[in-house]
Amino acid sequence: MTGFLIGLNAEAKIGLIEQAHNKRRFEFSLDVWDADFKEIAPNLEVEFELTDDKSKVSFVRPKKLLKEDYTIHLTKSIKSCIYEYFGNVEELMKQYEKDINSERELDFLRIKRFLLTAYNDLFELDSTIQNLPLSNLKSELNALDREYDSFIKKVSYPPQYSYEKIFLSRQIEFVKNEELMQSTQTIIKSATAQQIALGNGLKAAEEHFAKRTDTKSASYAQELINLKKTRKRYVDLLHYLSEQKEKLKKITKAHEEFVEQYFEEFLRDYLPLTKQLKADFIKLLNAKAYDLDSLLWSRAKGSQSVRRFFVKAGITGTYSSKTFLKYFLHSLDRNKIRNDTKKLFELLKYLETFSAKNILLIQDSKDDSKRYYEFLKNFDKDLQITTSNDPHNHLIVSKPVDFHVIVMEWEVKGMTILDFMKKYTEVFGDSVHSAKFCAITPKDISGTLLADARVSGVKYYATKGNIDQFIDMMRMIL
């Protein structure tokens, strides 16, 4: 504890301390003075401790003077401070590095609310849709979302606040300097109050003494001695107050210089890092949202309850969030739509762009191409459909086109779908997406040919002329 020596009775060997912060007073025996008695002086700043039972002072000594150089030294590097603050986020990004660098992407922040709504609605239609991988993925995405919210809160503060919280608060010498500033300000405040009180008392004493005429009396001589002592105390107090103000000035200057010295350097490290972490976090959320959406609708495709619901509700289109959202919005009364619901229309536009698929439809008859084209457009107007009556036209090396799905009749212009698929893979390799191949088979196709096709990689079939089967096949694929 610290305080000031405000009283001393040499004959009784007793001193009096006033504590710096709360002005509590403690009497002590000079026997516990832990220094040379020559150091005792009025208003001397001291440090002291009490006994365990707080009943008396155990020791008193002059407070050690700090060095005059109040320069604050760096105790922890900027990079170390930033890592301590964001280390858990950086580790999380390293853990999910593959997801961040993947091409899987669905705007999580935009679709978040509806994706979770679709999850719950589909679960109500068929509780078997939810399995352990799906449940774990949803829990994982929710946990990452909470981590993201926490991260965004951290980086949303003004740069100056972040500088203080992340960097300055971790500098030991800087923190001690701040504490010293506060204690010195308290000392100055206390000493100033004493100076005013002592000054008023001295003025009154001098005025009273000036009126005395008994200059030869013993009481006059004693009052003069007391007056001189008071004057000395007052001068000492003024000197001490001046020293403390000068000390505060130096401490404050050191504080300001340190704050200014590292601010720009901090921002050069802090701003790019937080920007990159935010970008990586969003990529991660988008990848996991894509996974959840894909797995959710993959499970829904296999549900008879969901399929019956789509048919009964007259829902056309793929088994996807886009189709489900379109159905939901179509069922709303547009005159009663809230502002937050209006955002769902913007989400639909995004999903329509995001889910756009390129379809190549190869058939022998132009009339069939026209009919199937119309069926697909009625099924999903966002599909990009290319029709063709000659598969050879789509095996030109100089004209690679990314097709998500290639639908072909079993044989067109002397080329079977198996021959086309083999040649297509040889010609384009990794230069285009890995397309899903679907066969429109004749009614009398043999089981052996179908088995060979499955082995070759053609997993989707629809009998020629069976439009319901064709649309159902496309719904399952897309």
Side-chain angles (χ1 to χ4, degrees), residues 12 25 27 81 119 185 231 254 264 322 339-340 416 464:
R25 296 189 175 190
E27 199 173 68
C81 292
Y119 184 102
Q185 287 168 348
R231 285 172 183 160
E264 294 297 331
K322 181 193 73 173
N339 288 331
D340 56 343
T416 66
K464 185 175 181 178

Side-chain angles (χ1 to χ4, degrees), residues 384-416:
Q384 307 299 313
I385 306 166
T386 300
T387 60
S388 173
N389 304 112
D390 190 344
H392 300 88
N393 294 337
H394 301 280
L395 297 173
I396 302 172
V397 180
S398 61
K399 296 182 179 180
V401 178
D402 272 336
F403 290 109
H404 297 89
V405 180
I406 296 176
V407 182
M408 181 175 169
E409 287 185 353
W410 190 258
E411 184 174 342
V412 180
K413 294 293 188 289
M415 178 178 279
T416 66

Side-chain angles (χ1 to χ4, degrees), residues 5-46:
L5 189 61
I6 62 170
L8 183 65
N9 188 328
E11 292 182 3
K13 294 185 178 181
I14 293 175
L16 186 63
I17 301 170
E18 183 174 88
Q19 194 172 356
H21 297 295
N22 54 25
K23 296 187 178 182
R24 286 183 62 192
R25 296 189 175 190
F26 301 91
E27 199 173 68
F28 69 95
S29 169
L30 292 185
D31 294 336
V32 298
W33 177 257
D34 186 22
D36 194 318
F37 282 106
K38 292 180 181 179
E39 296 185 51
I40 292 180
N43 295 299
L44 176 69
E45 188 174 7
V46 296

Side-chain angles (χ1 to χ4, degrees), residues 1-154:
M1 293 186 289
T2 61
F4 302 95
L5 189 61
I6 62 170
L8 183 65
N9 188 328
E11 292 182 3
K13 294 185 178 181
I14 293 175
L16 186 63
I17 301 170
E18 183 174 88
Q19 194 172 356
H21 297 295
N22 54 25
K23 296 187 178 182
R24 286 183 62 192
R25 296 189 175 190
F26 301 91
E27 199 173 68
F28 69 95
S29 169
L30 292 185
D31 294 336
V32 298
W33 177 257
D34 186 22
D36 194 318
F37 282 106
K38 292 180 181 179
E39 296 185 51
I40 292 180
N43 295 299
L44 176 69
E45 188 174 7
V46 296
E47 52 188 17
F48 66 100
E49 291 295 340
L50 301 178
T51 56
D52 292 339
D53 59 3
K54 309 296 182 183
S55 62
K56 58 183 179 179
V57 176
S58 59
F59 75 83
V60 187
R61 58 175 170 247
K63 185 175 180 182
K64 293 180 181 179
L65 295 175
L66 297 176
K67 58 185 179 181
E68 284 298 312
D69 180 15
Y70 293 103
T71 303
I72 303 171
H73 300 96
L74 192 71
T75 53
K76 187 167 290 188
S77 71
I78 290 173
K79 291 184 183 296
S80 295
C81 292
I82 293 175
Y83 181 77
E84 280 186 12
Y85 197 65
F86 291 114
N88 63 321
V89 180
E90 290 189 271
E91 291 300 323
L92 191 64
M93 295 305 102
K94 288 178 183 178
Q95 180 183 338
Y96 284 100
E97 190 173 359
K98 289 185 179 179
D99 295 284
I100 293 169
N101 294 326
S102 73
E103 294 183 359
R104 310 187 314 276
E105 188 170 6
L106 180 62
D107 193 331
F108 172 74
L109 298 179
R110 188 180 289 182
I111 198 175
K112 170 183 172 181
R113 180 183 170 192
F114 184 76
L115 179 59
L116 298 178
T117 299
Y119 184 102
N120 294 330
D121 288 348
L122 290 173
F123 179 72
E124 286 185 11
L125 286 172
D126 185 349
S127 61
T128 64
I129 288 176
Q130 180 174 267
N131 62 358
L132 187 59
L134 186 60
S135 177
N136 287 344
L137 184 54
K138 178 173 177 280
S139 297
E140 183 182 24
L141 185 55
N142 284 334
L144 289 172
D145 184 29
R146 289 192 295 272
E147 288 289 339
Y148 177 75
D149 286 342
S150 175
F151 168 75
I152 289 300
K153 184 178 180 180
K154 284 183 176 181

Side-chain angles (χ1 to χ4, degrees), residues 155-282:
V155 299
S156 64
Y157 298 114
Q160 184 64 47
Y161 175 85
S162 299
Y163 178 55
E164 293 171 3
K165 186 173 182 62
I166 297 172
F167 175 71
L168 294 180
S169 65
R170 286 173 167 78
Q171 303 304 314
I172 296 174
E173 288 192 18
F174 179 83
V175 172
K176 287 184 177 179
N177 183 271
E178 282 193 319
E179 293 172 352
L180 185 58
M181 282 176 62
Q182 293 173 3
S183 63
T184 305
Q185 287 168 348
T186 301
I187 289 169
I188 291 173
K189 184 177 180 181
S190 176
T192 300
Q194 290 182 51
Q195 178 252 320
I196 293 172
L198 188 59
N200 291 336
L202 178 60
K203 182 181 178 181
E206 287 180 332
E207 289 175 352
H208 177 269
F209 184 75
K211 294 177 181 178
R212 292 190 65 166
T213 58
D214 54 335
T215 57
K216 302 295 184 179
S217 67
S219 65
Y220 182 89
Q222 184 60 50
E223 187 171 352
L224 179 59
I225 293 171
N226 293 339
L227 192 58
K228 287 180 179 179
K229 288 181 178 179
T230 305
R231 285 172 183 160
K232 187 177 184 308
R233 281 182 59 201
Y234 185 71
V235 171
D236 289 342
L237 185 56
L238 287 176
H239 177 68
Y240 177 75
L241 191 56
S242 176
E243 286 182 334
Q244 294 302 311
K245 288 180 178 179
E246 184 62 27
K247 175 182 172 182
L248 180 61
K249 183 178 177 182
K250 291 178 180 179
I251 298 170
T252 303
K253 183 181 178 184
H255 172 94
E256 292 172 349
E257 287 177 349
F258 188 86
V259 170
E260 183 178 353
Q261 181 178 357
Y262 293 100
F263 183 61
E264 294 297 331
E265 185 180 346
F266 171 81
L267 292 184
R268 283 197 295 271
D269 285 338
Y270 172 77
L271 294 178
L273 174 67
T274 52
K275 182 179 180 181
Q276 185 60 53
L277 286 177
K278 181 178 180 180
D280 287 348
F281 223 137
I282 289 175

Side-chain angles (χ1 to χ4, degrees), residues 339-361:
N339 288 331
D340 56 343
T341 307
K342 290 180 181 178
K343 293 180 181 179
L344 294 177
F345 287 94
E346 297 175 7
L347 173 61
L348 178 59
K349 291 180 182 178
Y350 162 74
L351 290 176
E352 288 173 342
T353 303
F354 170 80
S355 62
K357 296 289 190 295
N358 288 332
I359 312 294
L360 174 60
L361 186 59

